[in-house]
Amino acid sequence: MKESNLINKLAIDGGIPVRDKMLPYGRQSLDKKDIEAVVNVLQSDWLTTGPKVGEFEAAFADSVGVEEAVVVNSGTAALHAAMYVIGISSGDEVILPAITFVATANCVLYQGGIPIFADVYPDTMLIDVTKIESKITSKTKAIIAVDYAGHPCDYDALRDICDKYGLILVSDACHSLGATYKERRVGSLADVTTFSFHPVKIITSGEGGMITCSNPDYARKMRTFRNHGITTDHRQRALEGAYLYNMEYLGFNYRLSDFQCALGMSQLYKLPSIILDRQLIAQKYDEYFAQINGVSPLNLLNNVTHAYHLYVVKLDLEYITMNRTDVFAALRSENIGVNVHYLPVYQHPFYQNNTLMLDVVCPIAELEYQKLLSIPIFPSMSDKDVEDVVVAFKKVLDSYNN
């Protein structure tokens, strides 16, 4: 009887947690082939600027259906390279959603531009296309669409706006590799698309990023940009028997090593099965959460397939008697590694200290942020892992309902 009471009692209040060990919200999924791919490169002559870089780029471009792919050392570097190649400079304005990781906005600042925040749809957290045109000025140069959690934006509507005002469309697809919009693959929907290969993302190269486009001039400039602005790399000079190199632009060291490219390429081959695993886990969550009061998943539109980098739920704060901070702490005590994605960017201290951001208000983003929780999802999760998450949610919410 005592043990039964402890099981029903919240762990944060001294009860027995649902799980013995923490279940993270995301993690890498590696197998022997991934390890062999890395080891093979470690035993080769080229650890960086070698043949695996181009091989990974070619395989990736083919996988998303574009002419060009340029690999860099992070998703942030990919965003920075995108802003560089489309010519963002001092005073240029770039419109982006308020709910995103800070790198989406920071990359505009890196080039001297100004991020202009637009509100989001409450059911998907995607940029609200009806709020964009009022943000456009003579200084607006581009729109960055963010495929929040892995759900593609309304790219047709975004393209119409860009065409109307002569803007460049950039896709931050760091969450959505493997997703589709109206049967078209993410990576081929915008003028420039960026991806991330962080360990919790759809595929990983440890750290890493990729930019895709169908503009060979863009690709050439980004390859120079990632290499200090130098037009040739070490391997190219070795093959040509040359020593002279020229720096044409002010670039950065954003190169990705060959063994990381080998890991990324090995992971890329498994992309269809990785996406299927994530979608099946999401389907189980959908079925479970339909039966639980006080929490609901984000909406899934009919014309897309979702990559499910994240599985995000919203709390019904009118149903439960606790706020998101309380729910977060209670679930973590049950060893469920929930997370929160994201605080509206302009509410971060750095942005609050910028006088240009003082009057920024996106009411939907601010309201919905208070309800968001990201719950564990990664391909190697078991049915028991999924059930543990749901049991913990029910345990916590039942303890704090009205």
Side-chain angles (χ1 to χ4, degrees), residues 10-267:
L10 292 180
I12 200 168
D13 294 329
I16 297 174
V18 169
R19 291 177 62 90
D20 295 331
K21 298 174 70 173
M22 182 66 72
L23 179 69
Y25 87 90
R27 73 182 308 274
Q28 69 276 12
S29 297
L30 305 179
D31 60 22
K32 288 183 179 180
K33 289 186 177 179
D34 295 322
I35 296 168
E36 288 172 1
V38 173
V39 170
N40 287 339
V41 174
L42 291 175
Q43 294 173 334
S44 74
D45 293 333
W46 291 97
L47 299 189
T48 190
T49 68
K52 288 299 175 185
V53 176
E55 290 175 21
F56 186 26
E57 290 177 335
F60 196 93
D62 183 65
S63 75
V64 301
V66 294
E67 296 297 319
E68 300 283 354
V70 179
V71 72
V72 288
N73 60 15
S74 69
T76 301
L79 284 162
H80 188 189
M83 292 301 99
Y84 164 78
V85 80
I86 67 171
I88 298 302
S89 60
S90 181
D92 290 337
E93 295 178 352
V94 179
I95 298 171
L96 62 145
I99 297 286
T100 185
F101 184 53
V102 294
T104 315
N106 292 351
C107 69
V108 180
L109 296 178
Y110 296 158
Q111 290 298 111
I114 302 169
I116 304 297
F117 296 100
D119 217 336
V120 296
Y121 292 117
D123 58 341
T124 60
M125 298 296 109
L126 301 176
I127 191 168
D128 185 339
V129 296
T130 68
K131 302 292 173 53
I132 291 176
E133 288 193 77
S134 65
K135 305 281 183 179
I136 295 173
T137 72
S138 60
K139 297 179 180 179
T140 307
K141 192 157 188 177
I143 297 171
I144 303 178
V146 177
D147 295 341
Y148 179 82
H151 190 305
C153 293
D154 186 348
Y155 282 96
D156 284 351
L158 290 165
R159 176 60 70 191
D160 287 344
I161 294 172
C162 286
D163 288 348
K164 180 178 178 180
Y165 293 94
L167 307 178
I168 299 169
L169 180 57
V170 176
S171 171
D172 179 342
C174 290
H175 291 184
S176 60
L177 176 61
T180 63
Y181 169 80
K182 296 184 178 178
E183 300 184 348
R184 291 141 54 199
R185 287 170 283 181
V186 166
S188 65
L189 301 166
D191 297 308
V192 182
T193 303
T194 62
F195 296 91
S196 169
F197 305 137
H198 183 276
V200 298
K201 294 301 198 303
I202 304 298
I203 66 171
T204 187
S205 55
E207 288 276 6
M210 190 78 80
I211 314 104
T212 61
C213 63
S214 290
N215 185 325
D217 189 50
Y218 276 4
R220 181 187 63 79
K221 288 181 178 178
M222 287 188 288
R223 290 190 177 100
T224 300
F225 182 72
R226 76 179 175 197
N227 188 37
H228 304 278
I230 296 169
T231 55
T232 59
D233 62 33
H234 177 60
R235 180 167 176 262
Q236 289 171 313
R237 293 193 296 276
L239 292 172
E240 294 168 3
Y243 66 88
L244 184 64
Y245 57 86
N246 295 300
M247 177 182 154
E248 289 188 357
Y249 316 114
L250 180 61
F252 291 79
N253 183 356
Y254 282 163
R255 298 187 303 260
L256 193 69
S257 69
D258 274 55
F259 53 88
Q260 288 174 290
C261 286
L263 175 56
M265 191 155 48
S266 177
Q267 290 258 297

